[in-house]
Amino acid sequence: MSTTAPDPRPVDDLMVWCGRRPWRQDLPELWQRRHFAWALARSEVRARHLDSALGQLWQVLNPAFMISVYFVIFGVVLDARRGVEHYVTFLVAGVLVFRFAQDIVTGCAQTLNRNMGLLRSIQFPRSVLPVSVALGQLLTLLPGLVLVLVVAAVDGVRPGWELAFLPLVVLGAGAMALGFGFIVARAASTVPDVGQLLPHVFRVLLYVSGVLFSVDVMIDTAWVRDLFAVNPFYCAITAARWAILGVPTPASVGISLALWSGAALVVGATWFRRGEHRYGA
C-alpha cells in the first residue's frame, strides 16, 4: 500500500495524520517553529551545567582541559607537533570542530527517545528536535571559537582574509553533522543500541580525521592522503584550520565539504521524514 500526503481529519477535536506530508507543507511549519527550536536549544545549554559551581564557565573549561591533555600526550610525548607551525592553534581548531560535529550527531541519536513525552503530547514537525540539537551545539561552540582566536593571538598567529570564511565553514560542518544526525536519530529510535556504538565510531574517526596530527607531515603516500579528502570530518577540520591559520589548502577540501554538507543534509532529512509518523507512537 502506497503512502500519500496526509489528510488531517478532525476526530473529537484531535488531528489524525495519515502518512507523510510533502516538503512544501513541512518547511513552512518548520520555519514557524524556529522559536520553539531555539527555546529547546537554549534550555538544553542552560541545564547542562546547572548542578556545578562554575556553571556555564565549563563550556570553555571542558575543551581547554581536553586540549591540554591532547597537547601533552600527542604534541609532547608522541611529538605530533613536529613539522607543524603553530601546533597549539592547529590542535585547538581541530578538536573544537571535531567535537562540534560529534556532539551534534550523538545528541541527535538521543533526542527522540529523550523527548518521548513531548512527541506524544504535541503535534509538530519531528525535524525540530534534531535541528534544536544542532542549534544548541552551535551556541556551545561560540565560546570555543573565542578561545581558539585568543589561543591563536597568543601563539603568534595573525589571521588573514581567510578568517571571514570561518562562519561558512562552521555552517558547513554543522549541516553535514545534522544530516548524519537525522540518520542516526531515526536509527536509534528503532535500535537504541546505536547510541552506544557512536562513541566507538567517533573514537576511530578522531584518529583518521587528522584531528591531532598533520596528514601532510605524517602521511608520505600520496593516495593515502587523497583518501583523507573524502572524509567529511577531515574536510571540516582542514577548512577551519585554513580559515584560522591561513595555511595552503587544496580547493578539493572545500568542494568536498560543500558536497558532503548538501548531500548529507538532504539525504538525512529525507530519510528521517519517512519514519516521522512512527516517532512517539
Side-chain angles (χ1 to χ4, degrees):
M1 180 182 296
S2 62
T3 304
T4 59
D7 178 22
R9 303 182 297 274
V11 180
D12 296 331
D13 297 327
L14 296 178
M15 301 296 286
V16 179
W17 295 90
C18 304
R20 299 188 299 270
R21 293 173 293 176
W23 275 113
R24 65 179 179 273
Q25 293 183 16
D26 260 5
L27 289 178
E29 187 174 356
L30 187 60
W31 175 251
Q32 291 170 4
R33 301 296 182 114
R34 65 190 184 280
H35 302 297
F36 178 39
W38 272 112
L40 286 176
R42 289 194 301 267
S43 63
E44 174 65 23
V45 171
R46 284 197 299 266
R48 199 169 294 159
H49 303 294
L50 279 180
D51 57 348
S52 62
L54 296 178
Q56 299 305 317
L57 189 59
W58 282 108
Q59 292 188 35
V60 175
L61 293 178
N62 274 329
F65 288 147
M66 178 177 58
I67 290 165
S68 299
V69 172
Y70 284 148
F71 176 77
V72 171
I73 295 176
F74 291 93
V76 177
V77 177
L78 299 179
D79 198 24
R81 58 180 173 172
R82 173 174 47 86
V84 180
E85 190 176 5
H86 305 299
Y87 179 75
V88 176
T89 306
F90 175 92
L91 178 64
V92 173
V95 171
L96 286 179
V97 173
F98 181 81
R99 284 297 301 269
F100 170 61
Q102 175 184 356
D103 290 344
I104 290 177
V105 177
T106 55
C108 287
Q110 304 167 7
T111 189
L112 292 177
N113 293 327
R114 191 173 59 226
N115 292 285
M116 194 60 66
L118 190 63
L119 291 171
R120 290 172 176 169
S121 60
I122 302 176
Q123 178 62 45
F124 63 94
R126 279 25 182 167
S127 303
V128 166
L129 293 178
V131 169
S132 70
V133 171
L135 291 175
Q137 293 305 326
L138 181 61
L139 292 174
T140 302
L141 178 67
L142 294 179
L145 293 178
V146 175
L147 173 65
V148 72
L149 293 177
V150 171
V151 169
V154 174
D155 200 23
V157 177
R158 298 295 178 264
W161 58 268
E162 298 92 346
L163 188 62
F165 286 89
L166 184 59
L168 286 178
V169 172
V170 170
L171 289 177
M176 175 266 295
L178 178 58
F180 292 141
F182 277 126
I183 294 172
V184 300
R186 177 176 173 180
S189 70
T190 304
V191 184
D193 291 349
V194 169
Q196 302 298 322
L197 293 174
L198 285 177
H200 304 290
V201 172
F202 277 101
R203 194 168 295 117
V204 174
L205 285 172
L206 177 71
Y207 297 109
V208 298
S209 300
V211 179
L212 308 171
F213 60 91
S214 170
V215 172
D216 292 333
V217 173
M218 295 294 182
I219 306 296
D220 295 328
T221 308
W223 68 267
V224 175
R225 287 200 301 268
D226 291 339
L227 287 178
F228 279 85
V230 299
N231 178 342
F233 295 90
Y234 169 79
C235 293
I237 291 165
T238 304
R241 286 168 173 161
W242 167 78
I244 296 168
L245 290 164
V247 293
T249 302
S252 59
V253 169
I255 295 172
S256 181
L257 176 60
L259 292 175
W260 271 111
S261 300
L265 190 57
V266 171
V267 172
T270 301
W271 196 67
F272 180 85
R273 286 183 68 255
R274 290 184 177 179
E276 196 170 43
H277 59 287
R278 303 173 185 168
Y279 309 144

